[in-house]
Amino acid sequence: MTSAYERLEQKFARIAVLNEASAMLGWDAAAMMPDGGAEARGEQLATLAGLAHEFLASPEIGEDLEAAAPETDWQEANVGLMREAYIRATALPRDLVEASVRAGRACETIWRAARKESDFAAVQAALSEVVSLTRESAQILGQALDLAPYDALMSQYQRGITAADASAIFTRYEAFLKDALPRAEALQAAREHESLPPGPYPEAVQEALARQLAASAGLKFSNARLDRSAHPFCGGTPTDIRITTRYDEADFASALTGVLHETGHALYEQNLPAAFARQPVGEAAGMAMHESQSLIIEMQAVRSDAFLSHLAPILTQAFGKPITPPALKRRLRHVERSYIRVEADELTYPAHVLLRFRLEQALLSGDLAVADLPAAWNDGFKALLGITPPNDAQGCLQDIHWYDGAIGYFPSYTLGAMAAAQLMAAARKALPGLDAHLAQGDFTPLSVWLAEHVHGLGASLGFNEILTAATGEALNPAHFEAHLTARYLA
Amino acid sequence: MTSAYERLEQKFARIAVLNEASAMLGWDAAAMMPDGGAEARGEQLATLAGLAHEFLASPEIGEDLEAAAPETDWQEANVGLMREAYIRATALPRDLVEASVRAGRACETIWRAARKESDFAAVQAALSEVVSLTRESAQILGQALDLAPYDALMSQYQRGITAADASAIFTRYEAFLKDALPRAEALQAAREHESLPPGPYPEAVQEALARQLAASAGLKFSNARLDRSAHPFCGGTPTDIRITTRYDEADFASALTGVLHETGHALYEQNLPAAFARQPVGEAAGMAMHESQSLIIEMQAVRSDAFLSHLAPILTQAFGKPITPPALKRRLRHVERSYIRVEADELTYPAHVLLRFRLEQALLSGDLAVADLPAAWNDGFKALLGITPPNDAQGCLQDIHWYDGAIGYFPSYTLGAMAAAQLMAAARKALPGLDAHLAQGDFTPLSVWLAEHVHGLGASLGFNEILTAATGEALNPAHFEAHLTARYLA
């Protein structure tokens, strides 16, 4: 006789296998598929997603959840995550789900044209529809999960931290930035400016280097590939990770740091607890925690003085051009007030997120009308960074998220950056030789520590619980401030 | 209200979409996947195949098949194919299906080692089990489909031609070969022997040429990719074809003809009737017909005097070495008695198939005991080609088919080669300038003719019906004999 818990494990494993198939097909669509395959691929992905949803929302799962008697902490956490997934899959009326999908798809299409024309008015009605349907869903989900509506959205991306937690942290960062940014700019202006030699930096050399560095950071190519796509990402499955990048022969730095960013994500996936593979508790703990793992590699380790001193001669040799640590630092650690989030440096990036975090809460609650979004964006941007976007394309139209129906995602970026700093501080304390290892190009102590304190925990704990177990405290922005102070204000 | 027929179309479309996902994941496993991904991929493919089978074998499909009232010939053919698929999916007891899968898997594993050691005794028991279970299945399927047991197996690979049809054709070929082979050898020995210059033929040049030739043969790269794999194949889906090859820098010919062979398969898939996409009637008509399409490109068109005269200067220019038509012909049209089917030339290849066709029928009927297979193989081989395999690795252990449970597949290879000759003869008659076009490297008239007379018919007709509609007669080996006579006995 299988128990209710065992049946649940089997059912969720089958759902996970379908999601694995979707992940591989999604990677293929971005990295391999000829254009003509797009329509058929859309059908394949929709069918797999539909089946996964059908299996998840089945009454048998509801019954087994009632009857399940988990025997260990991990099993209990697993059942908790299963229950939440089941509620999310069943709480919303089918009409609302379908209307949301349709509205999101329609709005995204209009947004693509509107962004090109910097014409917010063109997409305003479609966005209003998306916001209104998302509000309705958030209320229903919040009630079912006993969460505030915005928290019900936020927790689908990252469990274990609330909007109230994030608000306090972001408000404190706002004050820090007000003081730190002009100081960092002044120090930067006063510094000597050594430049990287001009390109070309051949793609083949960049790719070989990227492979070598990803492997030295711990990526197992027996279970991974590195390919190209228009938008770099980390996809695939834990035993078959697919990371992508794009190359610019004028600038080696973006592909190289991009690959190491995706490598951070990949290490998390590769080191998830194999004993709970294909179970909710065996997955990563959330998007903010995932971002902390990409950023601890890319921002904390790779951009450290120690590692850059190791990297410079490797680059010099590979490209046959003199690349010095100061020139590398100038390229990789440059602070600048700018309009576009994805191009922002690590000091100003949180301001971009903070603005969106506040605005999306206001949109969801109805405190901010969609019609007033451009003005609110520009005012908020001016208040945070002292500059006003010249147009909405560089303002409230720049990101796909809201237009696609994704509200509650943005805070993950900055919570992840802050968690990365906190984890790095704890790792440095636990591993006194950490920087000496990085100066030798050796990531092993760091990645072993992360595997033990983060990756191997899967989703058995929430965001703040993992941080508390690993570092002794919940998310504390002081570590991120200390990191930025050391790097930009010293 | 949807009709029973419409519901069937929807259900079979969903099954087809799952099979498309499997096809893409199968391609990835062969062409892209790191080794470490194999176990997870196996689960993904098994889950998708299991779901597709579950949907196909559902009682609702049985009911809709009872009620369906097709309104056109194509719909009627579609329902006929659906019914056959349903019977195949439901006729066999679950225990027998599972025992067959297990036996095939076990036998294949043992066979890999046995072939390496040329040790038939090691795999004899496992093969006996496979044969005995296949016999049981063939009897049940034959009864359900009103076919002889062997025909029930053969028709799962190619409908519309029976073992009796094939027997008569193969027996006639045996007589032709007896006379033709020594004459071809004598003529070949008497001819001047101009050789291709020694390599290396750089992979990158081979690949660029392969792409160029595949495109000129009609492959649309907007809906296709060319990659590498250990065993070349044509996979993917009609709007997203994936062909693969492997390169040998010492010999450009194998990759080039291999790519054009797969291109022939790909053209068939790309030109299937879009109005019946994802329906059984919209698929290719069978494996023999598929092979006819790869061979009409590779053997009939590419190896023709006309095309080789066009190809030689292209190769000369691309590789920077003198490559003459006579040297090309010697490499691509060389006759030789040999032991290994996949390396055989087009004149002796049918003898390899004929032997297997006879032996597998005798195994299935029980007329031949598995223990007697090696001796029967060697005797049969000697009788057909006059040479005796030095060991079983080069004899009855060389092909995976039987050991994997595939009985009834082999005749497709030669039926396809013969159909290719017959179709080419009809195309030459219908298109008097065909060879002049090939001499210009122009495949368009041929591929347009094939699209109309073969590809676009999907599976609306059986093998001999398609040939009759396209050429005026059912499969007639005289065309293949005439082709070989012109090429090897002139």
Side-chain angles (χ1 to χ4, degrees):
Chain A
M1 269 295 289
T2 53
S3 69
Y5 177 77
E6 287 164 340
R7 282 195 302 275
L8 285 171
E9 279 210 345
Q10 288 162 5
K11 285 171 183 162
F12 275 84
R14 183 158 82 149
I15 294 166
V17 169
L18 291 179
N19 291 335
E20 286 180 8
S22 293
M24 300 312 309
L25 293 173
W27 166 82
D28 182 271
M32 293 288 152
M33 188 182 74
D35 289 346
E39 198 179 324
R41 183 59 45 85
E43 282 295 321
Q44 294 152 21
L45 291 171
T47 297
L48 291 173
L51 283 172
H53 181 270
E54 190 183 314
F55 294 158
L56 175 57
S58 74
E60 295 78 27
I61 285 197
E63 287 157 23
D64 283 336
L65 281 168
E66 290 293 322
E71 289 171 4
T72 66
D73 289 353
W74 277 71
Q75 289 187 0
E76 194 169 316
N78 204 20
V79 171
L81 293 165
M82 289 169 170
R83 186 168 290 123
E84 187 183 324
Y86 178 73
I87 291 171
R88 285 192 185 277
T90 54
L92 300 176
R94 196 186 177 107
D95 287 356
L96 178 56
V97 173
E98 289 176 358
S100 299
V101 169
R102 264 197 309 276
R105 223 175 262 167
C107 184
E108 189 201 315
T109 304
I110 299 170
W111 165 75
R112 289 192 188 280
R115 184 174 66 162
K116 220 170 270 173
E117 306 294 324
S118 194
D119 181 3
F120 181 79
V123 73
Q124 185 185 311
L127 179 59
S128 296
E129 178 72 4
V130 167
V131 168
S132 139
L133 291 166
T134 307
R135 183 183 301 135
E136 204 179 324
S137 300
Q139 275 158 353
I140 296 171
L141 287 172
Q143 234 157 7
L145 295 165
D146 200 18
L147 291 170
Y150 182 82
D151 282 342
L153 299 182
M154 191 170 149
S155 81
Q156 74 189 306
Y157 304 112
Q158 180 61 61
R159 292 168 59 257
I161 186 162
T162 65
D165 299 332
S167 269
I169 286 166
F170 286 173
T171 301
R172 172 173 162 168
Y173 190 78
E174 189 180 5
F176 170 80
L177 185 67
K178 200 132 242 128
D179 169 63
L181 180 53
R183 282 172 55 210
E185 287 171 322
L187 284 164
Q188 183 171 273
R191 222 174 287 135
E192 274 196 298
H193 286 159
E194 202 172 311
S195 286
L196 291 171
Y201 296 94
E203 280 197 21
V205 180
Q206 289 190 43
E207 187 177 334
L209 269 172
R211 252 173 230 289
Q212 176 194 329
L213 292 170
S216 75
L219 186 66
K220 288 181 285 178
F221 277 104
S222 60
N223 295 77
R225 285 182 60 94
L226 166 63
D227 295 278
R228 290 156 200 233
S229 71
H231 303 283
F233 68 103
C234 171
T237 66
T239 59
D240 188 358
I241 296 278
R242 309 287 172 104
I243 67 176
T244 70
T245 190
R246 58 185 167 210
Y247 298 97
D248 173 358
E249 294 212 326
D251 171 34
F252 65 84
S254 80
L256 227 57
T257 57
V259 168
L260 287 158
H261 179 97
E262 303 310 336
T263 296
H265 285 305
L267 295 180
Y268 197 171
E269 293 289 318
Q270 288 196 333
N271 294 325
L272 285 169
F276 283 86
R278 296 190 173 129
Q279 295 302 309
V281 76
E283 294 176 4
M287 302 314 298
M289 194 53 76
H290 232 306
E291 196 67 9
S292 79
Q293 296 310 291
S294 55
L295 293 175
I296 201 166
I297 299 296
E298 184 205 349
M299 291 295 179
Q300 298 290 327
V302 169
R303 280 172 162 86
S304 67
D305 286 350
F307 187 77
L308 293 183
S309 69
H310 167 76
L311 184 59
I314 291 176
L315 297 172
T316 300
Q317 164 128 38
F319 292 117
K321 299 178 199 277
I323 292 172
T324 62
L328 256 188
K329 285 179 194 167
R330 190 186 169 207
R331 168 65 187 82
L332 294 175
R333 307 195 323 202
H334 180 75
V335 169
E336 190 173 344
R337 296 165 203 248
S338 63
Y339 301 114
I340 302 297
R341 175 181 60 85
V342 298
E343 296 167 4
D345 60 86
E346 61 177 330
L347 181 61
T348 58
Y349 196 110
H352 294 257
V353 167
L354 168 51
L355 174 66
R356 288 157 174 80
F357 173 62
R358 286 176 178 161
L359 293 176
E360 68 183 11
Q361 289 180 84
L363 285 171
L364 195 77
S365 67
D367 288 351
L368 175 65
V370 169
D372 298 331
L373 177 59
W377 180 287
N378 291 349
D379 291 350
F381 205 83
K382 181 85 198 299
L384 283 162
L385 288 173
I387 54 176
T388 304
N391 55 49
D392 291 338
Q394 293 180 71
C396 67
L397 283 171
Q398 70 184 267
D399 291 311
I400 191 175
H401 302 55
W402 296 336
Y403 304 92
D404 198 23
I407 292 181
Y409 188 102
F410 280 121
S412 291
Y413 295 114
T414 287
L415 297 174
M418 290 176 169
Q422 182 165 334
L423 289 165
M424 191 67 169
R428 277 210 174 89
K429 204 174 285 178
L431 310 164
L434 183 56
D435 283 276
H437 281 282
L438 289 174
Q440 301 294 320
D442 181 7
F443 290 79
T444 312
L446 177 61
S447 59
V448 167
W449 190 88
L450 290 172
E452 183 184 342
H453 294 278
V454 179
H455 309 164
L457 302 181
S460 65
L461 301 176
F463 183 78
N464 269 328
E465 290 173 314
I466 290 176
L467 286 179
T468 302
T471 73
E473 55 183 335
L475 186 64
N476 177 355
H479 300 287
F480 188 52
E481 292 169 15
H483 156 69
L484 296 171
T485 301
R487 186 170 286 177
Y488 298 100
L489 303 176
Chain B
M1 267 297 288
T2 52
S3 70
Y5 177 78
E6 288 164 338
R7 282 196 301 275
L8 285 171
E9 279 210 344
Q10 288 162 6
K11 285 171 184 162
F12 276 83
R14 184 159 82 149
I15 293 166
V17 168
L18 291 179
N19 290 335
E20 287 180 8
S22 293
M24 300 313 308
L25 293 174
W27 166 83
D28 182 90
M32 294 288 152
M33 188 182 73
D35 289 345
E39 198 180 325
R41 183 58 46 85
E43 282 294 321
Q44 293 153 21
L45 291 171
T47 297
L48 291 172
L51 283 171
H53 181 271
E54 189 183 316
F55 294 159
L56 175 57
S58 74
E60 295 78 28
I61 286 198
E63 288 157 22
D64 284 336
L65 281 169
E66 291 293 321
E71 290 172 3
T72 65
D73 288 354
W74 276 72
Q75 289 187 0
E76 194 169 314
N78 204 20
V79 171
L81 293 165
M82 289 169 171
R83 184 168 291 121
E84 189 182 323
Y86 178 73
I87 290 171
R88 284 191 186 279
T90 54
L92 301 175
R94 197 189 175 102
D95 286 356
L96 179 56
V97 173
E98 288 177 359
S100 299
V101 169
R102 263 199 308 275
R105 221 174 265 166
C107 183
E108 190 202 314
T109 304
I110 299 169
W111 164 75
R112 290 194 186 277
R115 184 173 68 162
K116 219 170 271 173
E117 305 293 324
S118 193
D119 181 4
F120 181 79
V123 74
Q124 184 185 312
L127 179 59
S128 296
E129 178 72 4
V130 168
V131 168
S132 139
L133 291 166
T134 307
R135 184 184 300 136
E136 204 179 327
S137 299
Q139 276 158 352
I140 297 171
L141 287 172
Q143 234 158 6
L145 295 164
D146 199 18
L147 291 170
Y150 182 81
D151 283 343
L153 298 182
M154 192 171 149
S155 81
Q156 73 189 307
Y157 304 113
Q158 180 61 60
R159 291 170 60 256
I161 185 162
T162 64
D165 299 333
S167 268
I169 286 166
F170 285 174
T171 301
R172 173 173 162 169
Y173 190 79
E174 187 178 6
F176 169 80
L177 186 66
K178 201 129 241 127
D179 169 63
L181 180 53
R183 283 172 55 211
E185 288 172 322
L187 284 164
Q188 184 172 270
R191 223 175 287 138
E192 275 196 299
H193 287 160
E194 201 170 312
S195 286
L196 290 172
Y201 297 94
E203 280 198 20
V205 180
Q206 290 191 44
E207 186 176 337
L209 269 171
R211 255 173 227 289
Q212 176 194 329
L213 292 170
S216 74
L219 186 66
K220 288 181 287 178
F221 277 104
S222 59
N223 295 78
R225 286 182 60 93
L226 167 62
D227 294 279
R228 291 156 200 231
S229 71
H231 302 282
F233 68 104
C234 171
T237 67
T239 59
D240 189 357
I241 296 277
R242 309 287 172 103
I243 66 177
T244 70
T245 190
R246 57 184 167 210
Y247 299 97
D248 173 358
E249 294 213 324
D251 171 34
F252 65 84
S254 80
L256 227 57
T257 57
V259 167
L260 287 157
H261 180 96
E262 303 309 336
T263 296
H265 285 305
L267 296 179
Y268 196 171
E269 293 289 317
Q270 287 197 333
N271 293 326
L272 285 169
F276 284 86
R278 296 190 174 128
Q279 294 302 309
V281 76
E283 293 176 5
M287 301 315 298
M289 195 52 78
H290 232 306
E291 196 67 9
S292 80
Q293 297 309 292
S294 55
L295 293 175
I296 201 167
I297 299 296
E298 184 205 348
M299 290 294 179
Q300 298 290 327
V302 168
R303 280 172 163 86
S304 67
D305 286 349
F307 187 77
L308 293 183
S309 68
H310 167 76
L311 184 59
I314 290 176
L315 297 173
T316 299
Q317 164 129 39
F319 292 118
K321 299 177 198 280
I323 292 173
T324 62
L328 254 189
K329 284 179 195 167
R330 190 185 168 208
R331 168 65 186 83
L332 294 176
R333 307 194 324 201
H334 181 75
V335 169
E336 189 173 344
R337 296 166 204 246
S338 63
Y339 301 113
I340 302 297
R341 175 181 61 84
V342 297
E343 295 166 4
D345 60 87
E346 60 177 331
L347 181 62
T348 57
Y349 195 111
H352 294 257
V353 167
L354 168 50
L355 174 66
R356 288 157 174 80
F357 173 61
R358 285 176 179 162
L359 293 176
E360 68 183 12
Q361 288 178 85
L363 285 171
L364 195 76
S365 69
D367 289 351
L368 175 64
V370 169
D372 299 331
L373 176 60
W377 181 288
N378 292 349
D379 291 350
F381 205 83
K382 182 84 200 293
L384 284 163
L385 288 173
I387 55 176
T388 304
N391 55 50
D392 292 337
Q394 293 180 71
C396 67
L397 283 171
Q398 70 184 268
D399 291 311
I400 191 175
H401 301 56
W402 296 335
Y403 305 92
D404 198 23
I407 291 182
Y409 188 103
F410 280 121
S412 292
Y413 295 114
T414 287
L415 297 174
M418 292 178 168
Q422 183 164 334
L423 289 165
M424 191 67 170
R428 278 211 172 88
K429 205 174 284 177
L431 309 165
L434 184 56
D435 282 277
H437 282 282
L438 288 174
Q440 302 294 319
D442 181 8
F443 289 80
T444 311
L446 176 61
S447 59
V448 167
W449 191 88
L450 290 172
E452 183 184 341
H453 291 93
V454 178
H455 309 164
L457 302 182
S460 66
L461 302 175
F463 183 79
N464 269 328
E465 289 173 314
I466 290 176
L467 286 179
T468 303
T471 73
E473 56 182 337
L475 186 65
N476 176 355
H479 301 287
F480 188 51
E481 292 170 15
H483 156 71
L484 296 170
T485 301
R487 185 169 287 176
Y488 298 101
L489 303 176

